[in-house]
């Protein structure tokens, strides 16, 4: 087995990646108004003119993965005959979930159903009974099968390249070799990896943009501190310390432990909210919304409203699909790295089934709790959202729970750990992408991991202080448009490999290649 530590920094990928990041971020900081206007115009064009493409891609990815899982290729083991899973099933699923969802779920699960309740789809009357039912259903839809399918798709060809073909390089370009051929080693491959790096950094910027205001608001309310820029930076520094330590200790001792703690703590808070709130409403709301979502899945997946010309699909579904696609390379690289010894079917089930179930629990309990507060008149969450924004709404909801001070404190800890797992996963992947000849059995050097940890923190501080965070988030999502054909290339590459490698194999419990393909 190769050494556990990877090779040195690959400047051929690192330098263009850093140049792309700063080449796009610095102008947004120096010229915030014109830069933001340009980015917003590009985003409006991408989602407005090509919204249909995002929707088709979403449904297509789900169908492709289900077909792959039930086919004989679902038996293919991502590794050799003697490769065993590196992590327990619980830790493996916990790392997948925590790395992929991060702070977003604890931010949106409380309030997203309220947005749908006040501005529902399909021309439904706002704040009606039908609006309430669709509010819970759309929360399940936007955080269910399709997002996790986007995350899962790139992970399979990347893991296949690493563990079946034993090709060095934890990169999207290497996984595209089945189609790109020798061009994967040239500047086309380097450019693809540089765009992936920018997408990861921008995705982290999105997470920071959600997390820092939320935690600052909760900390200021809990301790009676006035929200200031210094408080925002203090929050960011605590995060930096947590995820830098996690990145330093690596997968087994850092990221795995944080993810395990994350899942346990989230389960405790969900259980407490379930018992403290209207439990029957939450259960019935989830069952009803699951039925509406599954029976209308194709309709919801392809609804563009060309006649009514409402913007619901563009504002929510297309936006979310673009967001998930922007994150997909990072998740694909990370999940591939931790999935040695698993079969393709196991990987698809872990993401599409258990990833979706995890998100549905948050929306069923926290979303159901918030919607019950709104419908019963206990708290006008919609008014708080409209007047003061998401952080204030989350704070108001938490204050309605028993022992609200303690619950808020635990919730703040959960926020720190949730985002830390995303940040350390991101730094780990960035270090892997910019390392030379890194195999699937190695971890990138600690020095490279820390370089990216501090770069992420530095970019976050600059964007929070000087502005431009929203523009970077939006520009990251624009990157999702050219990533759609990249996902197609990865799928094509995978299918070609599978057909070549297992053309004469009979159906077996696990399909492995007897000798490594070079």
């Amino acid at each position: 087995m190769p050494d556990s530590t990877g090779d040195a920094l690959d400047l051929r990928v690192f330098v263009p990646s850093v140049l792309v990041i700063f080449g796009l971020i610095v102008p947004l900081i120096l010229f915030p108004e014109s830069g933001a206007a340009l980015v917003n115009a590009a985003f409006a064009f991408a989602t407005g003119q090509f919204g249909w493409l995002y929707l088709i891609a979403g449904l297509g990815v789900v169908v492709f993965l289900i077909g792959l899982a039930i086919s004989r290729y679902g038996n293919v083991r991502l590794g050799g005959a003697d490769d065993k899973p590196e992590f327990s099933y619980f830790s493996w699923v916990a790392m997948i979930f925590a790395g992929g969802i991060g702070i977003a779920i604890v931010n949106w699960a409380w309030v997203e159903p309220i947005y749908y309740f006040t501005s529902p789809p399909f021309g439904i009357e706002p704040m009606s009974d039908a609006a309430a039912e669709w509010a819970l259903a759309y929360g399940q839809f936007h955080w269910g099968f399709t997002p996790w399918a986007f995350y899962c798709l790139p992970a399979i060809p990347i893991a296949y390249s690493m563990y079946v073909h034993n090709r060095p390089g934890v990169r999207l370009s290497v996984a595209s070799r089945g189609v790109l051929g020798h061009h994967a080693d040239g500047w086309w491959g380097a450019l693809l990896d540089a765009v992936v790096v920018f997408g990861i950094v921008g995705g982290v910027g999105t997470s920071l943009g959600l997390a820092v205001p939320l935690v600052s608001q909760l900390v200021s309310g809990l301790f009676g501190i006035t929200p200031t820029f210094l408080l925002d930076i203090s929050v960011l520094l605590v995060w930096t310390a947590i995820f830098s330590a996690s990145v330093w200790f690596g997968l087994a001792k850092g990221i795995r432990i944080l993810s395990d703690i994350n899942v346990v703590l989230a389960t405790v808070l969900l259980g407490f909210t379930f018992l403290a709130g209207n439990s029957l409403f939450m259960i019935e709301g989830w069952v009803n919304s699951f039925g509406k979502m599954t029976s209308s899945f194709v309709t919801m997946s392809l609804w563009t409203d060309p006649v009514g010309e409402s913007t619901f699909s563009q504002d929510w579904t297309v936006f979310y699909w673009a967001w998930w696609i922007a994150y997909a390379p990072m998740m694909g690289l990370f999940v591939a790295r931790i999935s040695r010894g698993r079969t393709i079917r196991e990987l698809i089930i872990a993401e599409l089934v258990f990833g979706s179930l995890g998100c549905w629990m948050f929306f069923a309990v926290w979303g159901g709790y918030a919607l019950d507060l709104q419908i019963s008149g206990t708290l006008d969450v919609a008014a708080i959202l409209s007047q003061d924004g998401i952080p204030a709404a989350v704070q108001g909801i938490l204050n309605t729970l028993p022992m609200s001070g303690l619950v808020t404190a635990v919730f703040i800890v959960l926020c720190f750990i949730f985002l830390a797992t995303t940040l350390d996963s991101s730094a780990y992947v960035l270090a892997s992408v910019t390392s030379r000849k890194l195999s699937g059995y190695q971890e990138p050097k600690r020095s490279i991991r820390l370089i990216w940890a501090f770069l992420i923190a530095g970019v976050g501080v600059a964007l929070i202080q000087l502005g431009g965070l929203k523009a970077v988030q939006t520009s990251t999502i624009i990157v999702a448009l050219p990533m759609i054909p990249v996902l197609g290339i990865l799928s094509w590459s995978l299918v070609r490999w599978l057909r070549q490698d297992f053309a004469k194999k009979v159906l077996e419990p696990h399909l492995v290649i007897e000798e490594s393909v070079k």
Side-chain angles (χ1 to χ4, degrees):
M1 182 171 291
D3 295 335
S4 60
T5 305
D7 206 337
L9 192 68
D10 188 346
L11 296 178
R12 191 177 63 91
V13 177
F14 179 79
V15 172
S17 300
V18 173
L19 289 177
V20 168
I21 291 168
F22 286 100
L24 291 170
I25 288 177
V26 171
L28 294 175
I29 293 175
L30 296 179
F31 311 102
E33 293 185 5
S34 56
L38 181 62
V39 168
N40 287 333
F43 177 72
F45 174 78
T47 57
Q49 298 299 312
F50 294 96
W52 57 271
L53 182 59
Y54 289 97
L55 298 180
I56 290 175
L59 184 60
V61 169
V62 173
V63 172
F64 174 76
L65 289 178
I66 292 175
L68 186 62
I70 62 178
S71 74
R72 71 190 189 99
Y73 297 125
N75 295 329
V76 172
R77 184 188 295 279
L78 299 171
D82 298 325
D83 277 332
K84 303 298 181 184
E86 191 174 356
F87 304 98
S88 70
Y89 200 85
F90 175 83
S91 293
W92 179 55
V93 172
M95 284 192 285
I96 291 173
F97 184 79
I101 295 302
I103 195 73
I105 193 79
V106 302
N107 185 84
W108 284 103
W110 297 105
V111 299
E112 191 170 317
I114 305 300
Y115 281 115
Y116 301 146
F117 182 55
T118 55
S119 301
F122 306 125
I124 296 168
E125 182 183 351
M127 304 183 79
S128 62
D129 291 347
E133 292 189 6
W134 280 108
L136 292 174
Y138 257 96
Q140 311 277 358
F141 174 65
H142 284 149
W143 294 76
F145 296 125
T146 308
W148 286 102
F150 281 133
Y151 280 176
C152 183
L153 180 63
I156 301 172
I158 295 169
Y160 195 93
S161 173
M162 289 164 56
Y163 299 125
V164 179
H165 284 184
N166 291 322
R167 288 196 174 99
V170 186
R171 297 173 184 167
L172 230 61
S173 58
V174 176
S176 303
R177 184 186 294 273
V179 174
L180 295 181
H182 68 276
H183 294 295
D185 299 322
W187 284 106
W188 281 108
L191 179 62
L192 174 59
D193 292 325
V195 171
V196 166
V197 168
F198 170 71
I200 294 171
V201 173
V204 172
T206 303
S207 297
L208 287 171
L210 292 171
V212 173
L214 174 62
V215 173
S216 294
Q217 174 87 30
L218 296 174
V219 169
S220 64
L222 189 62
F223 297 104
I225 304 171
T226 303
T228 61
F229 170 70
L230 182 60
L231 179 59
D232 287 346
I233 295 302
S234 299
V235 168
L236 187 58
L237 288 176
V238 172
W239 257 311
T240 303
I242 294 173
F243 82 81
S244 296
S246 177
V247 165
W248 173 265
F249 287 113
L251 282 174
K253 296 181 180 179
I255 298 173
R256 179 187 63 81
I257 293 173
L258 265 187
S259 299
D260 288 354
I261 295 172
N262 204 349
V263 170
V264 171
L265 194 59
T267 303
V268 169
L269 271 179
L270 286 168
F272 180 82
T273 308
F274 179 77
L275 295 175
N278 187 345
S279 304
L280 182 60
F281 179 83
M282 297 178 203
I283 294 173
E284 292 183 340
W286 180 80
V287 171
N288 186 73
S289 61
F290 182 75
K292 291 185 77 69
M293 181 199 68
T294 50
S295 63
S296 305
F297 185 79
V298 175
T299 299
M300 296 165 78
S301 295
L302 299 177
W303 185 58
T304 60
D305 198 15
V307 179
E309 297 185 340
S310 67
T311 61
F312 183 92
S313 176
Q314 183 177 328
D315 293 342
W316 288 102
T317 307
V318 173
F319 173 84
Y320 264 135
W321 283 192
W323 192 8
W324 302 125
I325 293 171
Y327 262 104
M330 187 277 283
M331 273 302 290
L333 290 160
F334 177 69
V335 172
R337 173 58 188 83
I338 63 175
S339 298
R340 184 176 74 240
R342 303 289 178 182
T343 65
I344 289 178
R345 184 176 295 113
E346 280 184 291
L347 181 51
I348 294 173
I349 290 173
E351 297 221 47
L352 265 65
V353 177
F354 291 111
S356 298
L357 281 173
C359 291
W360 292 341
M361 283 179 60
F362 280 90
F363 274 86
V365 177
W366 286 355
Y369 181 83
L371 189 61
D372 183 58
L373 292 178
Q374 180 71 43
I375 294 172
S376 65
T378 305
L379 180 70
D380 194 347
V381 183
I384 301 174
L385 269 177
S386 176
Q387 296 169 14
D388 302 313
I390 294 175
V394 174
Q395 185 178 43
I397 294 167
L398 290 173
N399 287 339
T400 64
L401 288 166
M403 299 181 291
S404 59
L406 177 61
V407 172
T408 301
V410 175
F411 184 78
I412 291 172
V413 173
L414 178 64
C415 289
F416 272 114
I417 298 176
F418 242 129
L419 183 59
T421 53
T422 299
L423 295 176
D424 58 21
S425 303
S426 302
Y428 188 93
V429 168
L430 289 167
S432 301
V433 172
T434 53
S435 295
R436 286 189 304 189
K437 297 181 179 179
L438 188 72
S439 79
Y441 298 86
Q442 297 173 306
E443 293 198 359
K445 281 189 172 181
R446 283 176 170 171
S447 57
I448 303 177
R449 292 181 237 162
L450 288 180
I451 286 172
W452 280 111
F454 293 134
L455 270 175
I456 289 173
V459 168
V461 170
L463 291 173
I464 291 172
Q465 181 179 11
L466 301 174
L469 185 59
K470 180 64 177 177
V472 170
Q473 297 167 17
T474 307
S475 60
T476 302
I477 295 171
I478 296 171
V479 172
L481 184 58
M483 283 304 300
I484 292 176
V486 172
L487 293 178
I489 290 173
L490 289 171
S491 304
W492 186 11
S493 182
L494 174 66
V495 171
R496 288 185 66 176
W497 280 336
L498 288 170
R499 287 178 174 174
Q500 290 169 5
D501 297 338
F502 300 103
K504 298 180 180 179
K505 285 274 184 177
V506 296
L507 190 64
E508 298 172 359
H510 295 107
L511 293 177
V512 295
I513 294 177
E514 301 302 331
E515 296 181 2
S516 297
V517 178
K518 300 298 184 185

